[in-house]
mmCIF file of all heavy atoms in Angstrom:
data_model
loop_
_atom_site.group_PDB
_atom_site.id
_atom_site.type_symbol
_atom_site.label_atom_id
_atom_site.label_comp_id
_atom_site.label_asym_id
_atom_site.label_seq_id
_atom_site.Cartn_x
_atom_site.Cartn_y
_atom_site.Cartn_z
ATOM 1 N N PRO B 7 10.617 0.101 -26.849
ATOM 2 C CA PRO B 7 9.321 0.373 -27.308
ATOM 3 C C PRO B 7 9.280 1.480 -28.441
ATOM 4 O O PRO B 7 10.168 2.258 -28.504
ATOM 5 C CB PRO B 7 8.663 1.080 -26.060
ATOM 6 C CG PRO B 7 9.837 1.525 -25.197
ATOM 7 C CD PRO B 7 11.003 0.671 -25.693
ATOM 8 N N ASP B 8 8.378 1.438 -29.452
ATOM 9 C CA ASP B 8 8.252 2.370 -30.449
ATOM 10 C C ASP B 8 7.178 3.361 -30.156
ATOM 11 O O ASP B 8 6.833 4.185 -31.047
ATOM 12 C CB ASP B 8 8.030 1.724 -31.756
ATOM 13 C CG ASP B 8 6.713 0.887 -31.832
ATOM 14 O OD1 ASP B 8 6.169 0.807 -30.624
ATOM 15 O OD2 ASP B 8 6.297 0.542 -32.838
ATOM 16 N N THR B 9 6.715 3.497 -28.936
ATOM 17 C CA THR B 9 5.848 4.442 -28.557
ATOM 18 C C THR B 9 6.010 4.868 -27.110
ATOM 19 O O THR B 9 6.660 4.073 -26.340
ATOM 20 C CB THR B 9 4.406 3.948 -28.781
ATOM 21 O OG1 THR B 9 3.431 5.044 -28.344
ATOM 22 C CG2 THR B 9 4.144 2.820 -27.786
ATOM 23 N N GLY B 10 5.435 5.961 -26.707
ATOM 24 C CA GLY B 10 5.633 6.522 -25.323
ATOM 25 C C GLY B 10 6.855 7.141 -25.089
ATOM 26 O O GLY B 10 7.647 7.381 -26.021
ATOM 27 N N LEU B 11 7.082 7.774 -23.879
ATOM 28 C CA LEU B 11 8.278 8.536 -23.620
ATOM 29 C C LEU B 11 9.420 7.909 -23.805
ATOM 30 O O LEU B 11 10.461 8.574 -24.338
ATOM 31 C CB LEU B 11 8.132 9.094 -22.164
ATOM 32 C CG LEU B 11 7.300 10.285 -21.803
ATOM 33 C CD1 LEU B 11 7.482 10.762 -20.395
ATOM 34 C CD2 LEU B 11 7.548 11.400 -22.785
ATOM 35 N N ALA B 12 9.592 6.534 -23.508
ATOM 36 C CA ALA B 12 10.881 5.894 -23.708
ATOM 37 C C ALA B 12 11.440 5.914 -25.045
ATOM 38 O O ALA B 12 12.533 5.775 -25.417
ATOM 39 C CB ALA B 12 10.877 4.583 -23.142
ATOM 40 N N ALA B 13 10.393 5.990 -26.045
ATOM 41 C CA ALA B 13 10.878 5.979 -27.521
ATOM 42 C C ALA B 13 11.302 7.348 -27.940
ATOM 43 O O ALA B 13 11.693 7.546 -29.035
ATOM 44 C CB ALA B 13 9.687 5.396 -28.341
ATOM 45 N N ASP B 14 11.043 8.315 -27.106
ATOM 46 C CA ASP B 14 11.338 9.727 -27.380
ATOM 47 C C ASP B 14 12.901 9.945 -27.116
ATOM 48 O O ASP B 14 13.351 9.948 -26.102
ATOM 49 C CB ASP B 14 10.420 10.677 -26.590
ATOM 50 C CG ASP B 14 10.612 12.103 -26.917
ATOM 51 O OD1 ASP B 14 11.647 12.546 -27.427
ATOM 52 O OD2 ASP B 14 9.573 12.816 -26.770
ATOM 53 N N LEU B 15 13.529 10.250 -28.208
ATOM 54 C CA LEU B 15 15.019 10.536 -28.095
ATOM 55 C C LEU B 15 15.304 11.605 -27.206
ATOM 56 O O LEU B 15 16.279 11.651 -26.501
ATOM 57 C CB LEU B 15 15.626 10.716 -29.562
ATOM 58 C CG LEU B 15 17.122 10.809 -29.699
ATOM 59 C CD1 LEU B 15 17.674 9.364 -29.397
ATOM 60 C CD2 LEU B 15 17.400 11.126 -31.162
ATOM 61 N N GLY B 16 14.388 12.638 -27.385
ATOM 62 C CA GLY B 16 14.619 13.910 -26.550
ATOM 63 C C GLY B 16 14.431 13.556 -25.019
ATOM 64 O O GLY B 16 15.249 14.028 -24.136
ATOM 65 N N TRP B 17 13.563 12.707 -24.681
ATOM 66 C CA TRP B 17 13.406 12.249 -23.350
ATOM 67 C C TRP B 17 14.489 11.457 -22.811
ATOM 68 O O TRP B 17 15.108 11.843 -21.735
ATOM 69 C CB TRP B 17 12.043 11.431 -23.182
ATOM 70 C CG TRP B 17 11.806 11.175 -21.782
ATOM 71 C CD1 TRP B 17 11.340 11.965 -20.745
ATOM 72 C CD2 TRP B 17 12.149 9.846 -21.128
ATOM 73 N NE1 TRP B 17 11.208 11.247 -19.577
ATOM 74 C CE2 TRP B 17 11.698 9.990 -19.752
ATOM 75 C CE3 TRP B 17 12.575 8.616 -21.637
ATOM 76 C CZ2 TRP B 17 11.820 8.888 -18.829
ATOM 77 C CZ3 TRP B 17 12.746 7.691 -20.699
ATOM 78 C CH2 TRP B 17 12.259 7.658 -19.359
ATOM 79 N N THR B 18 15.008 10.443 -23.516
ATOM 80 C CA THR B 18 16.099 9.737 -23.091
ATOM 81 C C THR B 18 17.376 10.552 -22.883
ATOM 82 O O THR B 18 18.090 10.530 -22.026
ATOM 83 C CB THR B 18 16.335 8.562 -24.006
ATOM 84 O OG1 THR B 18 16.624 8.945 -25.409
ATOM 85 C CG2 THR B 18 15.260 7.570 -23.992
ATOM 86 N N LEU B 19 17.659 11.408 -23.791
ATOM 87 C CA LEU B 19 18.815 12.278 -23.864
ATOM 88 C C LEU B 19 18.772 13.201 -22.651
ATOM 89 O O LEU B 19 19.677 13.448 -21.937
ATOM 90 C CB LEU B 19 18.850 13.052 -25.105
ATOM 91 C CG LEU B 19 19.433 12.458 -26.453
ATOM 92 C CD1 LEU B 19 19.227 13.324 -27.504
ATOM 93 C CD2 LEU B 19 20.894 12.109 -26.151
ATOM 94 N N SER B 20 17.435 13.745 -22.382
ATOM 95 C CA SER B 20 17.386 14.597 -21.189
ATOM 96 C C SER B 20 17.590 13.996 -19.856
ATOM 97 O O SER B 20 18.278 14.453 -19.088
ATOM 98 C CB SER B 20 15.963 15.178 -21.227
ATOM 99 O OG SER B 20 15.660 15.937 -22.397
ATOM 100 N N VAL B 21 16.969 12.827 -19.780
ATOM 101 C CA VAL B 21 17.201 12.043 -18.563
ATOM 102 C C VAL B 21 18.689 11.745 -18.321
ATOM 103 O O VAL B 21 19.125 11.860 -17.140
ATOM 104 C CB VAL B 21 16.315 10.762 -18.550
ATOM 105 C CG1 VAL B 21 16.823 9.782 -17.356
ATOM 106 C CG2 VAL B 21 14.840 11.062 -18.564
ATOM 107 N N VAL B 22 19.304 11.176 -19.478
ATOM 108 C CA VAL B 22 20.739 10.777 -19.150
ATOM 109 C C VAL B 22 21.527 12.061 -18.882
ATOM 110 O O VAL B 22 22.443 11.979 -18.049
ATOM 111 C CB VAL B 22 21.257 10.057 -20.407
ATOM 112 C CG1 VAL B 22 22.727 9.776 -20.369
ATOM 113 C CG2 VAL B 22 20.394 8.805 -20.610
ATOM 114 N N LEU B 23 21.368 13.083 -19.718
ATOM 115 C CA LEU B 23 22.246 14.284 -19.464
ATOM 116 C C LEU B 23 21.893 14.937 -17.996
ATOM 117 O O LEU B 23 22.859 15.298 -17.345
ATOM 118 C CB LEU B 23 21.912 15.380 -20.484
ATOM 119 C CG LEU B 23 22.659 16.746 -20.385
ATOM 120 C CD1 LEU B 23 24.248 16.322 -20.355
ATOM 121 C CD2 LEU B 23 22.323 17.665 -21.505
ATOM 122 N N ARG B 24 20.578 14.891 -17.615
ATOM 123 C CA ARG B 24 20.330 15.315 -16.234
ATOM 124 C C ARG B 24 20.988 14.638 -15.193
ATOM 125 O O ARG B 24 21.558 15.256 -14.304
ATOM 126 C CB ARG B 24 18.795 15.317 -16.043
ATOM 127 C CG ARG B 24 18.316 16.195 -14.969
ATOM 128 C CD ARG B 24 16.852 16.606 -15.207
ATOM 129 N NE ARG B 24 16.036 15.504 -15.501
ATOM 130 C CZ ARG B 24 15.283 15.342 -16.653
ATOM 131 N NH1 ARG B 24 15.279 16.248 -17.447
ATOM 132 N NH2 ARG B 24 14.612 14.322 -16.854
ATOM 133 N N ALA B 25 21.108 13.287 -15.285
ATOM 134 C CA ALA B 25 21.757 12.460 -14.292
ATOM 135 C C ALA B 25 23.284 12.800 -14.358
ATOM 136 O O ALA B 25 23.980 12.837 -13.393
ATOM 137 C CB ALA B 25 21.498 11.102 -14.574
ATOM 138 N N TYR B 26 23.707 12.997 -15.593
ATOM 139 C CA TYR B 26 25.166 13.260 -15.795
ATOM 140 C C TYR B 26 25.633 14.527 -15.152
ATOM 141 O O TYR B 26 26.563 14.701 -14.404
ATOM 142 C CB TYR B 26 25.615 13.229 -17.235
ATOM 143 C CG TYR B 26 26.965 13.547 -17.583
ATOM 144 C CD1 TYR B 26 27.912 12.559 -17.591
ATOM 145 C CD2 TYR B 26 27.574 14.882 -17.503
ATOM 146 C CE1 TYR B 26 29.348 12.784 -17.882
ATOM 147 C CE2 TYR B 26 28.829 15.057 -17.857
ATOM 148 C CZ TYR B 26 29.652 14.095 -17.972
ATOM 149 O OH TYR B 26 31.034 14.320 -18.115
ATOM 150 N N VAL B 27 24.631 15.649 -15.318
ATOM 151 C CA VAL B 27 25.014 16.989 -14.872
ATOM 152 C C VAL B 27 24.954 16.967 -13.262
ATOM 153 O O VAL B 27 25.785 17.442 -12.788
ATOM 154 C CB VAL B 27 24.014 17.966 -15.289
ATOM 155 C CG1 VAL B 27 24.079 19.154 -14.692
ATOM 156 C CG2 VAL B 27 24.280 18.224 -16.851
ATOM 157 N N LYS B 28 23.986 16.139 -12.775
ATOM 158 C CA LYS B 28 23.916 16.005 -11.299
ATOM 159 C C LYS B 28 25.137 15.435 -10.733
ATOM 160 O O LYS B 28 25.756 16.004 -9.731
ATOM 161 C CB LYS B 28 22.669 15.107 -10.875
ATOM 162 C CG LYS B 28 22.300 15.198 -9.569
ATOM 163 C CD LYS B 28 20.778 14.826 -9.355
ATOM 164 C CE LYS B 28 20.835 13.406 -8.899
ATOM 165 N NZ LYS B 28 19.250 13.048 -8.501
ATOM 166 N N ALA B 29 25.728 14.396 -11.298
ATOM 167 C CA ALA B 29 26.992 13.738 -10.831
ATOM 168 C C ALA B 29 28.119 14.635 -11.166
ATOM 169 O O ALA B 29 29.074 14.870 -10.270
ATOM 170 C CB ALA B 29 27.151 12.459 -11.635
ATOM 171 N N ALA B 30 28.157 15.389 -12.302
ATOM 172 C CA ALA B 30 29.186 16.214 -12.599
ATOM 173 C C ALA B 30 29.325 17.509 -11.741
ATOM 174 O O ALA B 30 30.449 17.896 -11.311
ATOM 175 C CB ALA B 30 29.097 16.752 -14.103
#
Side-chain angles (χ1 to χ4, degrees):
Chain B
D8 60 348
T9 184
L11 277 187
D14 188 330
L15 190 63
W17 181 78
T18 57
L19 281 170
S20 298
V21 170
V22 174
L23 181 61
R24 197 154 48 233
Y26 180 91
V27 168
K28 197 158 98 174

